[in-house]
PDB file of all heavy atoms in Angstrom:
ATOM      1  N   ASN A   1       0.833  -1.195  -0.015  1.00 63.00           N
ATOM      2  CA  ASN A   1       0.006  -0.002  -0.017  1.00 63.00           C
ATOM      3  C   ASN A   1       0.860   1.258  -0.016  1.00 63.00           C
ATOM      4  O   ASN A   1       0.305   2.348   0.082  1.00 63.00           O
ATOM      5  CB  ASN A   1      -0.930  -0.003   1.229  1.00 63.00           C
ATOM      6  CG  ASN A   1      -1.939  -1.141   1.143  1.00 63.00           C
ATOM      7  OD1 ASN A   1      -2.399  -1.506   0.024  1.00 63.00           O
ATOM      8  ND2 ASN A   1      -2.346  -1.665   2.280  1.00 63.00           N
ATOM      9  N   MET A   2       2.158   1.151  -0.072  1.00 63.00           N
ATOM     10  CA  MET A   2       3.027   2.317   0.017  1.00 63.00           C
ATOM     11  C   MET A   2       2.849   3.196  -1.225  1.00 63.00           C
ATOM     12  O   MET A   2       2.769   4.448  -1.113  1.00 63.00           O
ATOM     13  CB  MET A   2       4.484   1.922   0.139  1.00 63.00           C
ATOM     14  CG  MET A   2       5.438   3.116   0.250  1.00 63.00           C
ATOM     15  SD  MET A   2       7.147   2.568   0.374  1.00 63.00           S
ATOM     16  CE  MET A   2       7.138   1.736   1.965  1.00 63.00           C
ATOM     17  N   LEU A   3       2.764   2.589  -2.393  1.00 63.00           N
ATOM     18  CA  LEU A   3       2.614   3.408  -3.657  1.00 63.00           C
ATOM     19  C   LEU A   3       1.325   4.154  -3.689  1.00 63.00           C
ATOM     20  O   LEU A   3       1.274   5.322  -4.144  1.00 63.00           O
ATOM     21  CB  LEU A   3       2.760   2.523  -4.851  1.00 63.00           C
ATOM     22  CG  LEU A   3       4.148   1.900  -5.131  1.00 63.00           C
ATOM     23  CD1 LEU A   3       4.095   0.989  -6.301  1.00 63.00           C
ATOM     24  CD2 LEU A   3       5.164   3.011  -5.328  1.00 63.00           C
ATOM     25  N   SER A   4       0.236   3.552  -3.218  1.00 71.00           N
ATOM     26  CA  SER A   4      -1.055   4.267  -3.230  1.00 71.00           C
ATOM     27  C   SER A   4      -1.014   5.458  -2.328  1.00 71.00           C
ATOM     28  O   SER A   4      -1.562   6.505  -2.593  1.00 71.00           O
ATOM     29  CB  SER A   4      -2.183   3.288  -2.910  1.00 71.00           C
ATOM     30  OG  SER A   4      -1.983   2.779  -1.594  1.00 71.00           O
ATOM     31  N   GLY A   5      -0.287   5.300  -1.169  1.00 72.00           N
ATOM     32  CA  GLY A   5      -0.220   6.450  -0.254  1.00 72.00           C
ATOM     33  C   GLY A   5       0.630   7.580  -0.817  1.00 72.00           C
ATOM     34  O   GLY A   5       0.263   8.761  -0.667  1.00 72.00           O
ATOM     35  N   ILE A   6       1.737   7.275  -1.486  1.00 72.00           N
ATOM     36  CA  ILE A   6       2.569   8.294  -2.120  1.00 72.00           C
ATOM     37  C   ILE A   6       1.804   8.997  -3.178  1.00 72.00           C
ATOM     38  O   ILE A   6       1.828  10.245  -3.331  1.00 72.00           O
ATOM     39  CB  ILE A   6       3.857   7.664  -2.646  1.00 72.00           C
ATOM     40  CG1 ILE A   6       4.696   7.129  -1.484  1.00 72.00           C
ATOM     41  CG2 ILE A   6       4.649   8.643  -3.449  1.00 72.00           C
ATOM     42  CD1 ILE A   6       5.927   6.358  -1.938  1.00 72.00           C
ATOM     43  N   TYR A   7       1.028   8.227  -3.958  1.00 74.00           N
ATOM     44  CA  TYR A   7       0.248   8.856  -5.050  1.00 74.00           C
ATOM     45  C   TYR A   7      -0.811   9.758  -4.497  1.00 74.00           C
ATOM     46  O   TYR A   7      -1.012  10.857  -5.013  1.00 74.00           O
ATOM     47  CB  TYR A   7      -0.351   7.687  -5.875  1.00 74.00           C
ATOM     48  CG  TYR A   7      -1.231   8.186  -6.988  1.00 74.00           C
ATOM     49  CD1 TYR A   7      -0.641   8.720  -8.140  1.00 74.00           C
ATOM     50  CD2 TYR A   7      -2.652   8.186  -6.893  1.00 74.00           C
ATOM     51  CE1 TYR A   7      -1.445   9.211  -9.145  1.00 74.00           C
ATOM     52  CE2 TYR A   7      -3.429   8.684  -7.908  1.00 74.00           C
ATOM     53  CZ  TYR A   7      -2.812   9.163  -9.049  1.00 74.00           C
ATOM     54  OH  TYR A   7      -3.656   9.633 -10.074  1.00 74.00           O
ATOM     55  N   LYS A   8      -1.495   9.358  -3.426  1.00 78.00           N
ATOM     56  CA  LYS A   8      -2.509  10.226  -2.801  1.00 78.00           C
ATOM     57  C   LYS A   8      -1.845  11.525  -2.267  1.00 78.00           C
ATOM     58  O   LYS A   8      -2.461  12.613  -2.364  1.00 78.00           O
ATOM     59  CB  LYS A   8      -3.221   9.465  -1.711  1.00 78.00           C
ATOM     60  CG  LYS A   8      -4.432  10.203  -1.116  1.00 78.00           C
ATOM     61  CD  LYS A   8      -5.146   9.359  -0.104  1.00 78.00           C
ATOM     62  CE  LYS A   8      -6.370  10.086   0.442  1.00 78.00           C
ATOM     63  NZ  LYS A   8      -6.072  11.354   1.039  1.00 78.00           N
ATOM     64  N   THR A   9      -0.699  11.418  -1.676  1.00 79.00           N
ATOM     65  CA  THR A   9       0.016  12.622  -1.148  1.00 79.00           C
ATOM     66  C   THR A   9       0.279  13.594  -2.286  1.00 79.00           C
ATOM     67  O   THR A   9       0.136  14.825  -2.168  1.00 79.00           O
ATOM     68  CB  THR A   9       1.290  12.228  -0.461  1.00 79.00           C
ATOM     69  OG1 THR A   9       0.997  11.271   0.553  1.00 79.00           O
ATOM     70  CG2 THR A   9       2.033  13.419   0.064  1.00 79.00           C
ATOM     71  N   ILE A  10       0.731  13.118  -3.435  1.00 81.00           N
ATOM     72  CA  ILE A  10       1.041  13.997  -4.569  1.00 81.00           C
ATOM     73  C   ILE A  10      -0.213  14.698  -5.097  1.00 81.00           C
ATOM     74  O   ILE A  10      -0.220  15.871  -5.422  1.00 81.00           O
ATOM     75  CB  ILE A  10       1.710  13.133  -5.712  1.00 81.00           C
ATOM     76  CG1 ILE A  10       3.121  12.706  -5.212  1.00 81.00           C
ATOM     77  CG2 ILE A  10       1.898  13.979  -7.002  1.00 81.00           C
ATOM     78  CD1 ILE A  10       3.767  11.734  -6.198  1.00 81.00           C
ATOM     79  N   ILE A  11      -1.330  13.958  -5.133  1.00 82.00           N
ATOM     80  CA  ILE A  11      -2.601  14.545  -5.611  1.00 82.00           C
ATOM     81  C   ILE A  11      -3.085  15.621  -4.651  1.00 82.00           C
ATOM     82  O   ILE A  11      -3.494  16.721  -5.103  1.00 82.00           O
ATOM     83  CB  ILE A  11      -3.698  13.434  -5.795  1.00 82.00           C
ATOM     84  CG1 ILE A  11      -3.291  12.480  -6.908  1.00 82.00           C
ATOM     85  CG2 ILE A  11      -5.029  14.056  -6.090  1.00 82.00           C
ATOM     86  CD1 ILE A  11      -3.114  13.145  -8.249  1.00 82.00           C
ATOM     87  N   ASP A  12      -2.948  15.327  -3.399  1.00 77.00           N
ATOM     88  CA  ASP A  12      -3.340  16.367  -2.429  1.00 77.00           C
ATOM     89  C   ASP A  12      -2.487  17.619  -2.526  1.00 77.00           C
ATOM     90  O   ASP A  12      -2.932  18.721  -2.399  1.00 77.00           O
ATOM     91  CB  ASP A  12      -3.281  15.784  -1.010  1.00 77.00           C
ATOM     92  CG  ASP A  12      -4.330  14.676  -0.828  1.00 77.00           C
ATOM     93  OD1 ASP A  12      -5.327  14.633  -1.595  1.00 77.00           O
ATOM     94  OD2 ASP A  12      -4.125  13.796   0.071  1.00 77.00           O
ATOM     95  N   TYR A  13      -1.195  17.435  -2.746  1.00 74.00           N
ATOM     96  CA  TYR A  13      -0.321  18.585  -2.876  1.00 74.00           C
ATOM     97  C   TYR A  13      -0.618  19.362  -4.122  1.00 74.00           C
ATOM     98  O   TYR A  13      -0.660  20.602  -4.089  1.00 74.00           O
ATOM     99  CB  TYR A  13       1.152  18.098  -2.960  1.00 74.00           C
ATOM    100  CG  TYR A  13       2.127  19.212  -3.173  1.00 74.00           C
ATOM    101  CD1 TYR A  13       2.469  20.078  -2.114  1.00 74.00           C
ATOM    102  CD2 TYR A  13       2.691  19.390  -4.420  1.00 74.00           C
ATOM    103  CE1 TYR A  13       3.333  21.101  -2.347  1.00 74.00           C
ATOM    104  CE2 TYR A  13       3.569  20.446  -4.664  1.00 74.00           C
ATOM    105  CZ  TYR A  13       3.924  21.291  -3.600  1.00 74.00           C
ATOM    106  OH  TYR A  13       4.757  22.312  -3.823  1.00 74.00           O
ATOM    107  N   ASP A  14      -1.026  18.735  -5.182  1.00 76.00           N
ATOM    108  CA  ASP A  14      -1.380  19.431  -6.383  1.00 76.00           C
ATOM    109  C   ASP A  14      -2.688  20.232  -6.226  1.00 76.00           C
ATOM    110  O   ASP A  14      -2.794  21.361  -6.659  1.00 76.00           O
ATOM    111  CB  ASP A  14      -1.502  18.431  -7.545  1.00 76.00           C
ATOM    112  CG  ASP A  14      -1.814  19.101  -8.843  1.00 76.00           C
ATOM    113  OD1 ASP A  14      -0.902  19.855  -9.362  1.00 76.00           O
ATOM    114  OD2 ASP A  14      -2.925  18.959  -9.401  1.00 76.00           O
ATOM    115  N   ASP A  15      -3.640  19.647  -5.523  1.00 77.00           N
ATOM    116  CA  ASP A  15      -4.893  20.399  -5.239  1.00 77.00           C
ATOM    117  C   ASP A  15      -4.595  21.630  -4.404  1.00 77.00           C
ATOM    118  O   ASP A  15      -5.189  22.667  -4.585  1.00 77.00           O
ATOM    119  CB  ASP A  15      -5.910  19.444  -4.542  1.00 77.00           C
ATOM    120  CG  ASP A  15      -6.348  18.319  -5.495  1.00 77.00           C
ATOM    121  OD1 ASP A  15      -6.219  18.536  -6.709  1.00 77.00           O
ATOM    122  OD2 ASP A  15      -6.803  17.308  -4.968  1.00 77.00           O
ATOM    123  N   PHE A  16      -3.694  21.441  -3.428  1.00 73.00           N
ATOM    124  CA  PHE A  16      -3.320  22.576  -2.567  1.00 73.00           C
ATOM    125  C   PHE A  16      -2.716  23.720  -3.341  1.00 73.00           C
ATOM    126  O   PHE A  16      -3.055  24.889  -3.214  1.00 73.00           O
ATOM    127  CB  PHE A  16      -2.398  22.114  -1.497  1.00 73.00           C
ATOM    128  CG  PHE A  16      -1.873  23.225  -0.583  1.00 73.00           C
ATOM    129  CD1 PHE A  16      -2.725  23.848   0.361  1.00 73.00           C
ATOM    130  CD2 PHE A  16      -0.583  23.652  -0.701  1.00 73.00           C
ATOM    131  CE1 PHE A  16      -2.213  24.868   1.140  1.00 73.00           C
ATOM    132  CE2 PHE A  16      -0.096  24.660   0.078  1.00 73.00           C
ATOM    133  CZ  PHE A  16      -0.930  25.280   1.038  1.00 73.00           C
ATOM    134  N   VAL A  17      -1.854  23.345  -4.308  1.00 72.00           N
ATOM    135  CA  VAL A  17      -1.183  24.382  -5.117  1.00 72.00           C
ATOM    136  C   VAL A  17      -2.215  25.041  -6.042  1.00 72.00           C
ATOM    137  O   VAL A  17      -2.189  26.287  -6.234  1.00 72.00           O
ATOM    138  CB  VAL A  17      -0.043  23.776  -5.915  1.00 72.00           C
ATOM    139  CG1 VAL A  17       0.511  24.763  -6.900  1.00 72.00           C
ATOM    140  CG2 VAL A  17       1.071  23.293  -4.990  1.00 72.00           C
ATOM    141  N   GLN A  18      -3.154  24.281  -6.628  1.00 73.00           N
ATOM    142  CA  GLN A  18      -4.162  24.877  -7.499  1.00 73.00           C
ATOM    143  C   GLN A  18      -5.055  25.833  -6.727  1.00 73.00           C
ATOM    144  O   GLN A  18      -5.497  26.876  -7.219  1.00 73.00           O
ATOM    145  CB  GLN A  18      -4.997  23.776  -8.135  1.00 73.00           C
ATOM    146  CG  GLN A  18      -4.233  22.889  -9.144  1.00 73.00           C
ATOM    147  CD  GLN A  18      -3.765  23.641 -10.296  1.00 73.00           C
ATOM    148  OE1 GLN A  18      -4.381  24.645 -10.755  1.00 73.00           O
ATOM    149  NE2 GLN A  18      -2.604  23.230 -10.864  1.00 73.00           N
ATOM    150  N   GLY A  19      -5.349  25.521  -5.446  1.00 70.00           N
ATOM    151  CA  GLY A  19      -6.124  26.443  -4.615  1.00 70.00           C
ATOM    152  C   GLY A  19      -5.398  27.689  -4.314  1.00 70.00           C
ATOM    153  O   GLY A  19      -5.986  28.775  -4.315  1.00 70.00           O
ATOM    154  N   LEU A  20      -4.060  27.622  -4.117  1.00 65.00           N
ATOM    155  CA  LEU A  20      -3.305  28.847  -3.915  1.00 65.00           C
ATOM    156  C   LEU A  20      -3.320  29.753  -5.152  1.00 65.00           C
ATOM    157  O   LEU A  20      -3.300  30.939  -5.010  1.00 65.00           O
ATOM    158  CB  LEU A  20      -1.891  28.518  -3.510  1.00 65.00           C
ATOM    159  CG  LEU A  20      -1.681  27.839  -2.160  1.00 65.00           C
ATOM    160  CD1 LEU A  20      -0.248  27.460  -1.934  1.00 65.00           C
ATOM    161  CD2 LEU A  20      -2.183  28.769  -1.011  1.00 65.00           C
ATOM    162  N   LYS A  21      -3.324  29.124  -6.372  1.00 66.00           N
ATOM    163  CA  LYS A  21      -3.336  29.907  -7.591  1.00 66.00           C
ATOM    164  C   LYS A  21      -4.568  30.767  -7.696  1.00 66.00           C
ATOM    165  O   LYS A  21      -4.552  31.860  -8.239  1.00 66.00           O
ATOM    166  CB  LYS A  21      -3.228  28.978  -8.787  1.00 66.00           C
ATOM    167  CG  LYS A  21      -1.877  28.438  -9.049  1.00 66.00           C
ATOM    168  CD  LYS A  21      -1.816  27.625 -10.328  1.00 66.00           C
ATOM    169  CE  LYS A  21      -0.465  27.082 -10.632  1.00 66.00           C
ATOM    170  NZ  LYS A  21      -0.448  26.301 -11.889  1.00 66.00           N
ATOM    171  N   HIS A  22      -5.710  30.272  -7.279  1.00 69.00           N
ATOM    172  CA  HIS A  22      -6.956  31.024  -7.403  1.00 69.00           C
ATOM    173  C   HIS A  22      -7.187  31.972  -6.275  1.00 69.00           C
ATOM    174  O   HIS A  22      -8.182  32.714  -6.303  1.00 69.00           O
ATOM    175  CB  HIS A  22      -8.149  30.018  -7.472  1.00 69.00           C
ATOM    176  CG  HIS A  22      -8.076  29.143  -8.702  1.00 69.00           C
ATOM    177  ND1 HIS A  22      -7.363  28.017  -8.807  1.00 69.00           N
ATOM    178  CD2 HIS A  22      -8.669  29.356  -9.940  1.00 69.00           C
ATOM    179  CE1 HIS A  22      -7.508  27.469 -10.007  1.00 69.00           C
ATOM    180  NE2 HIS A  22      -8.344  28.297 -10.771  1.00 69.00           N
ATOM    181  N   HIS A  23      -6.373  32.003  -5.258  1.00 60.00           N
ATOM    182  CA  HIS A  23      -6.500  32.947  -4.152  1.00 60.00           C
ATOM    183  C   HIS A  23      -6.111  34.345  -4.633  1.00 60.00           C
ATOM    184  O   HIS A  23      -5.121  34.497  -5.325  1.00 60.00           O
ATOM    185  CB  HIS A  23      -5.675  32.552  -2.959  1.00 60.00           C
ATOM    186  CG  HIS A  23      -6.083  33.267  -1.659  1.00 60.00           C
ATOM    187  ND1 HIS A  23      -5.594  34.474  -1.285  1.00 60.00           N
ATOM    188  CD2 HIS A  23      -6.953  32.877  -0.659  1.00 60.00           C
ATOM    189  CE1 HIS A  23      -6.109  34.812  -0.141  1.00 60.00           C
ATOM    190  NE2 HIS A  23      -6.955  33.886   0.254  1.00 60.00           N
ATOM    191  N   TRP A  24      -6.901  35.333  -4.236  1.00 60.00           N
ATOM    192  CA  TRP A  24      -6.627  36.670  -4.755  1.00 60.00           C
ATOM    193  C   TRP A  24      -5.352  37.248  -4.238  1.00 60.00           C
ATOM    194  O   TRP A  24      -4.716  38.117  -4.917  1.00 60.00           O
ATOM    195  CB  TRP A  24      -7.788  37.643  -4.332  1.00 60.00           C
ATOM    196  CG  TRP A  24      -7.871  37.784  -2.806  1.00 60.00           C
ATOM    197  CD1 TRP A  24      -8.560  37.016  -1.935  1.00 60.00           C
ATOM    198  CD2 TRP A  24      -7.255  38.837  -2.087  1.00 60.00           C
ATOM    199  NE1 TRP A  24      -8.421  37.471  -0.640  1.00 60.00           N
ATOM    200  CE2 TRP A  24      -7.590  38.617  -0.743  1.00 60.00           C
ATOM    201  CE3 TRP A  24      -6.439  39.930  -2.399  1.00 60.00           C
ATOM    202  CZ2 TRP A  24      -7.133  39.464   0.289  1.00 60.00           C
ATOM    203  CZ3 TRP A  24      -6.006  40.724  -1.392  1.00 60.00           C
ATOM    204  CH2 TRP A  24      -6.284  40.483  -0.058  1.00 60.00           C
ATOM    205  N   LEU A  25      -4.855  36.821  -3.135  1.00 59.00           N
ATOM    206  CA  LEU A  25      -3.601  37.415  -2.579  1.00 59.00           C
ATOM    207  C   LEU A  25      -2.359  36.811  -3.248  1.00 59.00           C
ATOM    208  O   LEU A  25      -1.355  37.506  -3.458  1.00 59.00           O
ATOM    209  CB  LEU A  25      -3.576  37.112  -1.067  1.00 59.00           C
ATOM    210  CG  LEU A  25      -2.355  37.757  -0.312  1.00 59.00           C
ATOM    211  CD1 LEU A  25      -2.337  39.292  -0.469  1.00 59.00           C
ATOM    212  CD2 LEU A  25      -2.392  37.377   1.146  1.00 59.00           C
ATOM    213  N   LEU A  26      -2.447  35.524  -3.640  1.00 59.00           N
ATOM    214  CA  LEU A  26      -1.276  34.851  -4.225  1.00 59.00           C
ATOM    215  C   LEU A  26      -1.365  34.666  -5.733  1.00 59.00           C
ATOM    216  O   LEU A  26      -0.594  33.929  -6.353  1.00 59.00           O
ATOM    217  CB  LEU A  26      -1.093  33.520  -3.543  1.00 59.00           C
ATOM    218  CG  LEU A  26      -0.905  33.536  -2.021  1.00 59.00           C
ATOM    219  CD1 LEU A  26      -0.826  32.164  -1.481  1.00 59.00           C
ATOM    220  CD2 LEU A  26       0.380  34.302  -1.671  1.00 59.00           C
ATOM    221  N   ARG A  27      -2.400  35.268  -6.386  1.00 63.00           N
ATOM    222  CA  ARG A  27      -2.583  35.041  -7.827  1.00 63.00           C
ATOM    223  C   ARG A  27      -1.466  35.654  -8.667  1.00 63.00           C
ATOM    224  O   ARG A  27      -1.060  35.102  -9.707  1.00 63.00           O
ATOM    225  CB  ARG A  27      -3.945  35.665  -8.241  1.00 63.00           C
ATOM    226  CG  ARG A  27      -4.322  35.380  -9.701  1.00 63.00           C
ATOM    227  CD  ARG A  27      -5.646  35.988  -9.995  1.00 63.00           C
ATOM    228  NE  ARG A  27      -6.673  35.460  -9.066  1.00 63.00           N
ATOM    229  CZ  ARG A  27      -7.879  35.999  -8.972  1.00 63.00           C
ATOM    230  NH1 ARG A  27      -8.236  37.048  -9.701  1.00 63.00           N
ATOM    231  NH2 ARG A  27      -8.785  35.464  -8.093  1.00 63.00           N
ATOM    232  N   SER A  28      -0.890  36.790  -8.196  1.00 62.00           N
ATOM    233  CA  SER A  28       0.192  37.421  -8.980  1.00 62.00           C
ATOM    234  C   SER A  28       1.464  36.566  -8.985  1.00 62.00           C
ATOM    235  O   SER A  28       2.318  36.803  -9.852  1.00 62.00           O
ATOM    236  CB  SER A  28       0.433  38.821  -8.404  1.00 62.00           C
ATOM    237  OG  SER A  28       0.896  38.706  -7.057  1.00 62.00           O
ATOM    238  N   ALA A  29       1.610  35.692  -8.053  1.00 59.00           N
ATOM    239  CA  ALA A  29       2.827  34.879  -7.978  1.00 59.00           C
ATOM    240  C   ALA A  29       2.828  33.794  -9.033  1.00 59.00           C
ATOM    241  O   ALA A  29       3.848  33.151  -9.299  1.00 59.00           O
ATOM    242  CB  ALA A  29       3.004  34.246  -6.619  1.00 59.00           C
ATOM    243  N   PHE A  30       1.654  33.514  -9.660  1.00 57.00           N
ATOM    244  CA  PHE A  30       1.531  32.424 -10.677  1.00 57.00           C
ATOM    245  C   PHE A  30       1.068  33.067 -12.018  1.00 57.00           C
ATOM    246  O   PHE A  30      -0.069  32.843 -12.428  1.00 57.00           O
ATOM    247  CB  PHE A  30       0.552  31.388 -10.218  1.00 57.00           C
ATOM    248  CG  PHE A  30       0.891  30.726  -8.898  1.00 57.00           C
ATOM    249  CD1 PHE A  30       0.368  31.189  -7.706  1.00 57.00           C
ATOM    250  CD2 PHE A  30       1.788  29.682  -8.903  1.00 57.00           C
ATOM    251  CE1 PHE A  30       0.750  30.610  -6.515  1.00 57.00           C
ATOM    252  CE2 PHE A  30       2.121  29.089  -7.698  1.00 57.00           C
ATOM    253  CZ  PHE A  30       1.572  29.543  -6.478  1.00 57.00           C
ATOM    254  N   LYS A  31       1.940  33.905 -12.641  1.00 58.00           N
ATOM    255  CA  LYS A  31       1.599  34.579 -13.929  1.00 58.00           C
ATOM    256  C   LYS A  31       1.737  33.634 -15.131  1.00 58.00           C
ATOM    257  O   LYS A  31       1.074  33.793 -16.118  1.00 58.00           O
ATOM    258  CB  LYS A  31       2.484  35.802 -14.183  1.00 58.00           C
ATOM    259  CG  LYS A  31       2.221  36.893 -13.145  1.00 58.00           C
ATOM    260  CD  LYS A  31       3.095  38.098 -13.505  1.00 58.00           C
ATOM    261  CE  LYS A  31       2.816  39.219 -12.518  1.00 58.00           C
ATOM    262  NZ  LYS A  31       3.616  40.433 -12.771  1.00 58.00           N
ATOM    263  N   ASN A  32       2.617  32.704 -15.147  1.00 55.00           N
ATOM    264  CA  ASN A  32       2.831  31.773 -16.292  1.00 55.00           C
ATOM    265  C   ASN A  32       1.782  30.712 -16.285  1.00 55.00           C
ATOM    266  O   ASN A  32       1.708  29.872 -15.396  1.00 55.00           O
ATOM    267  CB  ASN A  32       4.232  31.162 -16.149  1.00 55.00           C
ATOM    268  CG  ASN A  32       4.567  30.374 -17.454  1.00 55.00           C
ATOM    269  OD1 ASN A  32       3.865  30.421 -18.421  1.00 55.00           O
ATOM    270  ND2 ASN A  32       5.692  29.660 -17.366  1.00 55.00           N
ATOM    271  N   GLU A  33       0.856  30.878 -17.287  1.00 51.00           N
ATOM    272  CA  GLU A  33      -0.234  29.932 -17.374  1.00 51.00           C
ATOM    273  C   GLU A  33       0.061  28.792 -18.295  1.00 51.00           C
ATOM    274  O   GLU A  33      -0.794  27.927 -18.501  1.00 51.00           O
ATOM    275  CB  GLU A  33      -1.471  30.659 -17.902  1.00 51.00           C
ATOM    276  CG  GLU A  33      -1.989  31.775 -16.968  1.00 51.00           C
ATOM    277  CD  GLU A  33      -2.427  31.201 -15.614  1.00 51.00           C
ATOM    278  OE1 GLU A  33      -2.828  30.007 -15.595  1.00 51.00           O
ATOM    279  OE2 GLU A  33      -2.456  31.967 -14.643  1.00 51.00           O
ATOM    280  N   ASN A  34       1.275  28.769 -18.947  1.00 51.00           N
ATOM    281  CA  ASN A  34       1.608  27.681 -19.872  1.00 51.00           C
ATOM    282  C   ASN A  34       1.897  26.439 -19.092  1.00 51.00           C
ATOM    283  O   ASN A  34       2.806  26.382 -18.275  1.00 51.00           O
ATOM    284  CB  ASN A  34       2.809  28.050 -20.763  1.00 51.00           C
ATOM    285  CG  ASN A  34       2.503  29.265 -21.638  1.00 51.00           C
ATOM    286  OD1 ASN A  34       1.345  29.410 -22.052  1.00 51.00           O
ATOM    287  ND2 ASN A  34       3.508  30.079 -21.895  1.00 51.00           N
ATOM    288  N   LYS A  35       1.173  25.449 -19.352  1.00 50.00           N
ATOM    289  CA  LYS A  35       1.322  24.157 -18.623  1.00 50.00           C
ATOM    290  C   LYS A  35       2.103  23.215 -19.501  1.00 50.00           C
ATOM    291  O   LYS A  35       1.730  22.947 -20.631  1.00 50.00           O
ATOM    292  CB  LYS A  35      -0.076  23.571 -18.315  1.00 50.00           C
ATOM    293  CG  LYS A  35      -0.884  24.414 -17.428  1.00 50.00           C
ATOM    294  CD  LYS A  35      -2.226  23.759 -17.121  1.00 50.00           C
ATOM    295  CE  LYS A  35      -3.071  24.621 -16.221  1.00 50.00           C
ATOM    296  NZ  LYS A  35      -4.421  24.000 -15.907  1.00 50.00           N
ATOM    297  N   THR A  36       3.229  22.793 -18.997  1.00 49.00           N
ATOM    298  CA  THR A  36       4.099  21.890 -19.761  1.00 49.00           C
ATOM    299  C   THR A  36       3.660  20.447 -19.599  1.00 49.00           C
ATOM    300  O   THR A  36       3.692  19.708 -20.519  1.00 49.00           O
ATOM    301  CB  THR A  36       5.566  22.064 -19.289  1.00 49.00           C
ATOM    302  OG1 THR A  36       5.620  21.792 -17.911  1.00 49.00           O
ATOM    303  CG2 THR A  36       6.032  23.470 -19.605  1.00 49.00           C
ATOM    304  N   ASN A  37       3.179  20.103 -18.444  1.00 50.00           N
ATOM    305  CA  ASN A  37       2.768  18.691 -18.183  1.00 50.00           C
ATOM    306  C   ASN A  37       1.372  18.715 -17.611  1.00 50.00           C
ATOM    307  O   ASN A  37       1.094  19.363 -16.610  1.00 50.00           O
ATOM    308  CB  ASN A  37       3.697  18.023 -17.222  1.00 50.00           C
ATOM    309  CG  ASN A  37       5.099  17.869 -17.817  1.00 50.00           C
ATOM    310  OD1 ASN A  37       5.228  17.619 -19.012  1.00 50.00           O
ATOM    311  ND2 ASN A  37       6.125  18.048 -16.944  1.00 50.00           N
ATOM    312  N   SER A  38       0.462  18.043 -18.252  1.00 53.00           N
ATOM    313  CA  SER A  38      -0.898  17.937 -17.725  1.00 53.00           C
ATOM    314  C   SER A  38      -0.952  16.915 -16.589  1.00 53.00           C
ATOM    315  O   SER A  38      -0.214  15.924 -16.648  1.00 53.00           O
ATOM    316  CB  SER A  38      -1.893  17.500 -18.827  1.00 53.00           C
ATOM    317  OG  SER A  38      -1.837  18.513 -19.868  1.00 53.00           O
ATOM    318  N   PRO A  39      -1.779  17.134 -15.640  1.00 54.00           N
ATOM    319  CA  PRO A  39      -1.806  16.128 -14.560  1.00 54.00           C
ATOM    320  C   PRO A  39      -2.367  14.815 -15.059  1.00 54.00           C
ATOM    321  O   PRO A  39      -3.210  14.774 -15.935  1.00 54.00           O
ATOM    322  CB  PRO A  39      -2.811  16.778 -13.542  1.00 54.00           C
ATOM    323  CG  PRO A  39      -3.610  17.744 -14.362  1.00 54.00           C
ATOM    324  CD  PRO A  39      -2.707  18.257 -15.380  1.00 54.00           C
ATOM    325  N   PRO A  40      -1.821  13.699 -14.605  1.00 54.00           N
ATOM    326  CA  PRO A  40      -2.291  12.400 -15.063  1.00 54.00           C
ATOM    327  C   PRO A  40      -3.727  12.143 -14.599  1.00 54.00           C
ATOM    328  O   PRO A  40      -4.175  12.687 -13.592  1.00 54.00           O
ATOM    329  CB  PRO A  40      -1.308  11.463 -14.400  1.00 54.00           C
ATOM    330  CG  PRO A  40      -0.832  12.205 -13.189  1.00 54.00           C
ATOM    331  CD  PRO A  40      -0.782  13.622 -13.531  1.00 54.00           C
TER     332      PRO A  40
END
């Protein structure tokens, strides 16, 4: 079950970062909207 736990941690971290991007206070820190890798 170790791999499923690591995978869940990475998904949660990505959701956290996406939430920070939409926050009005931290939106200016994420100006580059070009996505090089789409989430799996």
Side-chain angles (χ1 to χ4, degrees):
N1 296 326
M2 181 181 294
L3 290 177
S4 60
I6 294 173
Y7 176 76
K8 186 175 182 304
T9 302
I10 292 172
I11 294 300
D12 293 339
Y13 176 74
D14 184 67
D15 294 337
F16 175 72
V17 172
Q18 293 296 330
L20 291 177
K21 284 184 179 181
H22 294 86
H23 196 273
W24 65 273
L25 183 61
L26 300 176
R27 186 178 302 169
S28 61
F30 301 95
K31 293 182 178 181
N32 188 8
E33 296 296 337
N34 295 328
K35 297 180 181 181
T36 57
N37 294 323
S38 300

